[in-house]
Amino acid sequence: MPPVFRFAPSPNGLLHLGHAYSALLNFERARETGGRLLLRIEDIDMTRCRPEYEAAIYEDLAWLGISWETPARRQSEHLADYRAALDKLSALGLVYPAFESRAEIAKLVAAREVNGPWPRDPDGAPLYPGEAKSLSAGERKRLVESGAPYALRLDMAAACRRVARLTWGELGEGPAGEHGTVAAQPEAWGDVILARKETPTSYHLSVVVDDALQGVSEVVRGRDLFHATAVHRLLQVLLGLPEPVYRHHVLICDETGRKLSKSSRATGLRELRAAGVTPGGIRQLVGLGQVSLGVSQRLP
Ligand code: GLU
């Protein structure tokens, strides 16, 4: 079976050099290996995603000379798949509703920090400090029926008890040079959100479900998602899904060393194109040069 790769942008802004790099690496890997390249539109956050950004993704990728299998999978059209996975995790007793708002969570964290620093996840966000896990069944029912908004969280401690030592195969490199067999530490993320009252999924859940449904065998993506892979591996094991291999690549940074953002105009593909930069020029800018990567060359 040929290997399967995917590029999975969110249409919540215009693509920049960092996206071009990731998409080109996926494209090159698929070409080198005789594999398939899929495109997935990660548009579950309906408040931030816009059709014009999705249209721009297709156009910018085509301009770069990238081709992918059509149709692209649009996550917003597959909510039932995510709901089914969520139901499976709920049936294992691993999901609970938490009713605190963001402001309430911030307050709880501040209160706990009176006694010293409250633990943070690998992205620097405080772990969930609430106690919704221990609400009684009756209290949960009452709150749900009252129409209160909630997030469905993974009971991380219970989930970790169900799995043996978790690892993944890393062909790229993590922020501390991790390579090869990497030990996954999902507990570092605390009780992550799997879904919300209005949306039966989250980034973590849908990425895992889609990679499995689409038969993705090698995930090539930015190093900013390296640590999130621990959560993805945990969900894969809990849901009985196959394990892809991962290749996290370096991030393209601006001159101050910061990761590019969709709002930084200087590195937007549209702006560069308007300024006369060619697709070959974009390859040069991200360090890929004009020629395709040789099979023996180690990707970043
Ligand atoms: N949609 C994610 C992003 O735009 C990428 C997800 C992934 O590659 O796993 O950052």
Side-chain angles (χ1 to χ4, degrees), residues 137-170:
E139 186 63 2
R140 256 179 214 168
K141 191 162 175 273
R142 189 189 66 74
L143 284 163
V144 170
E145 283 170 3
S146 75
Y150 56 84
L152 290 170
R153 290 185 176 268
L154 179 69
D155 181 342
M156 184 59 81
C160 288
R161 280 196 296 275
R162 294 187 76 100
V163 301
R165 202 175 103 82
L166 259 190
T167 59
W168 79 83
E170 177 62 54

Side-chain angles (χ1 to χ4, degrees), residues 6 8-10 19 40 42 203 207 219-221 225 232 262:
R6 64 18 172 219
S10 298
H19 298 107
R40 188 163 75 223
E42 302 213 323
Y203 161 64
V207 84
V219 174
V220 178
R221 63 184 178 190
L225 294 168
H232 302 168
K262 281 185 170 143

